[in-house]
Amino acid sequence: VRRALERMRVPPSVAFLFHTTRGDRGGTSWYQEPPSAAESLLPQDCAILSAACPDIQANSGGLVESESGVGVLLASFDRDRTTFLPFHIGSGGDDSDESGDESGGDDDGSDREDEQSKRRKGSDEIQQLIDRLDEAKPATADNSYWKIIFVYVSGGTSLDPDAVLARVQDTNPNCIIAGGVSSGGHVRLFSSGQDDDAEQCEGEQKRSAESIAKAKNILEKRTVRQLRSLVTKMIERARNGKGESYIDDFVLNNIDLTKGDTSKENLVDIAISLGFGQQTSAKNPHDGIDLKHVESGIFGVAIGGDGVPVSAVVSRGCRSVISGDVAPQASTWTVSDAAVLRPGQVGHPFYRGDPAGGNESCHVINRVKNNETGEEMDSIDFVLRNRAEFVGIKRNDGDGFDLTMLQSHNVATGHLMLIEMAKGPDGATRRREIPDHRGSQIDLFNLDGEACIEDVGNKLERLKELVAGKHLLAGLMFSCNGRGPGKSYLINEEMCDANAWHHRFPSVPLLGFYAGGEIGPRAMSGRNMNIFQCGNSSLQGFTAVFVLFVVPKIKMGGFSIDDGRENVDEFMRKRKGSSE
């Protein structure tokens, strides 16, 4: 970290760290509770997100390896054009049942009520995250403001990760959501009220001159817009009794940001008076930040603004059961009869008479037809006859087949059902009406080791073409732990994804971890031209998700500067329009 900081021309605004949890390197794990040696060296206003996993990987300095105990990628974004929002939800701390066994064996529907209550509580917590994302962006920004949200899932979270991803994606349809299932991690939660669960110190705390100076140093690096947003949220929290403010209620209620309190100096003073930089945890007294050790929950950081040059590529590697191709461009089979089941409708696979349950719409595929032979059959017979692991759907205007792993709920009703992205709370949708799949092409796929190697190679070759003339700065990779780092029953090659990257981009750093489930745009087959994906993110398996930072190359033109007397006199004559 010290070497990286020395090489940077400006301080980092975000840091991605990857720790190993394995204890076979010197007998102890490199993963430490906060602050770790690496994280403690970073600036206080730098967003930090770290993941702990049994295996991490690093492509750096021409090497491809997975033996290091920690990997670090530092990045600097234009702070005037970029917003960072760290978060941690679903830790499950409030879900314990304190009533003992008194109500435990009664068959009076209480268990069902508890389940519904937990679902509603989880829905509320997800909505709070969505509200925070909405509040943190500028008032004039639309739903494309957030460019990427890194999401890690750890331990026994009280939330359904699929529901979190779907709800957040629904309100930010053009945002990349990427990450994976880890063993834990750290996230730096700023003390501006971004962590509702942070343990607050009791009683008033006297600010030291050093504490105020540190807080000012952090705040003065922010723009007036960022300070105004910060102060607005802190005022709201203080008025609701959630903040760290100790100023008089009369003064608090008479702060008016529409009048004379809008200068940068005033905003900094107001933020400090409202408690910015106060210690946010008695057990972890960081001045201005809370570096939180996460053992369970869903945590991450959202990055938004027009200064975030990020793209995503997803590879899986499936072979068509019907054609035998790795990336088929078309299928001879189409959907001839289909429908859409909305949340709450009878027949929905997750409908239990509870309006709060089953937020997902379902595509029902009843029958399929071979356009070459005219053969038509029931969708379940089509799947069973071909013994497929994945079903792929390609709309007529689509680019590639959208892959869905077949599970019991997909066929439990006697029809092939494909779950659409979840909608908002209580089944409300902010998207256009979902058309059914009639007329869409349908194909069936199985995982294949050679196909995995071929697919990631093809995707990165296409990436090489697309970034020609641009500058690929670095990448993050979230790969399935079934794809590395060692050989597996399916892929007879070590670190196949990292090595595929190294062969195409040997000088570009790539860091990441091997996950127990990857988060990214849904894997597709046959998407060979426009490989960049955003939206439609989900928790999936046996994929490699690449997050890429790509910027244009700036060509500096040549300049001829001649300030000799004759040249200056000639320039002045032309400027004056004189022939003298």
Side-chain angles (χ1 to χ4, degrees), residues 53-57 66 179-182 313-317 390 405 447 452 456 476-491 493-498 512-520 523 539-546:
C53 280
D55 293 293
I56 63 175
Q57 69 82 29
S66 61
V181 177
S182 68
V313 174
V314 182
S315 175
R316 176 174 271 150
F390 296 87
M405 180 179 289
L447 281 173
C452 290
V456 72
L476 296 172
M477 185 183 77
F478 308 101
S479 185
C480 177
N481 55 22
R483 299 173 68 105
K487 299 178 181 179
S488 70
Y489 75 97
L490 201 62
I491 301 179
E493 183 178 316
E494 293 183 353
M495 301 181 69
C496 72
D497 301 318
F513 68 90
Y514 291 94
E518 310 81 64
I519 295 171
L539 178 61
Q540 50 200 332
F542 223 82
T543 62
V545 179
F546 297 89

Side-chain angles (χ1 to χ4, degrees), residues 400-412:
F401 288 86
D402 191 349
L403 298 177
T404 299
M405 180 179 289
L406 290 171
Q407 301 181 58
S408 59
H409 65 259
N410 297 116
V411 296

Side-chain angles (χ1 to χ4, degrees), residues 155-400:
T157 176
S158 60
L159 298 176
D160 176 9
D162 288 323
V164 175
L165 297 174
R167 291 271 300 279
V168 172
Q169 187 77 87
D170 191 51
T171 54
N172 302 274
N174 299 315
C175 177
I176 298 168
I177 304 179
V181 177
S182 68
S183 302
H186 304 151
V187 60
R188 174 173 279 180
L189 299 166
F190 301 111
S191 62
S192 56
Q194 292 184 3
D195 181 21
D196 294 335
D197 296 328
E199 181 182 353
Q200 303 296 332
C201 298
E202 296 182 0
E204 181 175 344
Q205 297 179 5
K206 186 176 180 180
R207 300 295 297 273
S208 66
E210 182 182 3
S211 170
I212 294 174
K214 288 181 178 180
K216 280 189 174 182
N217 184 50
I218 294 173
L219 291 168
E220 287 172 352
K221 295 178 182 178
R222 303 190 181 187
T223 64
V224 171
R225 175 184 61 79
Q226 292 170 334
L227 287 170
R228 182 193 292 271
S229 175
L230 169 65
V231 168
T232 301
K233 287 184 287 186
M234 294 185 73
I235 291 173
E236 184 66 26
R237 287 179 57 81
R239 288 173 178 168
N240 293 332
K242 297 180 180 179
E244 293 294 324
S245 173
Y246 304 111
I247 65 175
D248 184 81
D249 287 343
F250 176 81
V251 176
L252 177 66
N253 293 324
N254 282 276
I255 296 176
D256 188 354
L257 298 182
T258 65
K259 296 182 179 179
D261 297 326
T262 56
S263 70
K264 188 170 186 177
E265 182 179 359
N266 283 341
L267 290 171
V268 169
D269 290 340
I270 293 171
I272 291 175
S273 68
L274 289 170
F276 184 89
Q278 290 287 82
Q279 296 179 354
T280 60
S281 172
K283 296 181 180 179
N284 186 24
H286 294 284
D287 202 354
I289 55 91
D290 178 15
L291 184 56
K292 190 167 189 177
H293 176 57
V294 179
E295 294 182 341
S296 65
I298 297 174
F299 63 106
V301 62
I303 307 178
D306 59 1
V308 186
V310 66
S311 302
V313 174
V314 182
S315 175
R316 176 174 271 150
C318 291
R319 190 179 300 276
S320 169
V321 177
I322 297 173
S323 67
D325 296 333
V326 172
Q329 299 301 300
S331 173
T332 58
W333 289 87
T334 58
V335 178
S336 58
D337 185 12
V340 175
L341 278 179
R342 306 291 177 180
Q345 285 184 300
V346 177
H348 192 288
F350 302 127
Y351 175 73
R352 301 184 182 91
D354 174 21
N359 283 331
E360 301 87 356
S361 292
C362 287
H363 285 283
V364 182
I365 311 296
N366 295 315
R367 297 187 66 79
V368 297
K369 182 178 180 180
N370 189 312
N371 291 329
E372 292 184 350
T373 65
E375 179 186 7
E376 190 171 3
M377 66 170 60
D378 182 83
S379 60
I380 297 296
D381 293 337
F382 177 65
V383 171
L384 295 178
R385 187 177 74 174
N386 290 284
R387 298 180 179 275
E389 296 173 319
F390 296 87
V391 60
I393 295 290
K394 180 180 181 180
R395 293 191 183 274
N396 293 330
D397 58 349
D399 180 13

Side-chain angles (χ1 to χ4, degrees), residues 43-185:
Q44 289 189 353
D45 59 345
C46 175
I48 294 177
L49 181 64
S50 75
C53 280
D55 293 293
I56 63 175
Q57 69 82 29
N59 292 35
S60 182
L63 298 176
V64 182
E65 56 93 12
S66 61
E67 294 300 316
S68 295
V70 62
V72 183
L73 179 67
L74 305 181
S76 291
F77 294 93
D78 186 342
R79 292 180 180 273
D80 290 338
R81 302 164 58 197
T82 312
T83 302
F84 300 91
L85 180 67
F87 59 89
H88 176 215
I89 61 175
S91 61
D94 297 327
D95 290 335
S96 59
D97 183 6
E98 298 179 356
S99 60
D101 298 326
E102 294 180 6
S103 61
D106 298 336
D107 187 14
D108 57 359
S110 60
D111 290 343
R112 183 174 174 179
E113 290 178 4
D114 289 344
E115 183 181 349
Q116 293 178 8
S117 176
K118 287 181 179 180
R119 282 204 299 271
R120 290 191 178 94
K121 182 178 179 181
S123 179
D124 292 343
E125 195 168 0
I126 298 171
Q127 188 60 46
Q128 289 173 8
L129 173 59
I130 293 171
D131 291 343
R132 286 168 56 194
L133 287 167
D134 189 54
E135 293 167 0
K137 65 185 182 183
T140 57
D142 57 20
N143 59 8
S144 64
Y145 179 79
W146 295 106
K147 299 301 185 290
I148 185 163
I149 304 175
F150 291 95
V151 177
Y152 298 160
V153 180
S154 175
T157 176
S158 60
L159 298 176
D160 176 9
D162 288 323
V164 175
L165 297 174
R167 291 271 300 279
V168 172
Q169 187 77 87
D170 191 51
T171 54
N172 302 274
N174 299 315
C175 177
I176 298 168
I177 304 179
V181 177
S182 68
S183 302

Side-chain angles (χ1 to χ4, degrees), residues 176 310-314 399 459 462-467 470 472 521 524 527-535 546-548 550:
I176 298 168
V310 66
S311 302
V313 174
V314 182
D399 180 13
K459 292 282 176 64
R462 179 57 180 159
L463 173 63
K464 195 173 182 179
E465 296 174 2
L466 294 175
V467 299
K470 299 180 181 179
L472 178 56
M524 302 185 73
R527 190 181 179 103
N528 296 328
M529 297 306 293
N530 182 19
I531 60 171
F532 295 134
Q533 292 182 244
C534 66
F546 297 89
V547 175
L548 315 167
V550 185

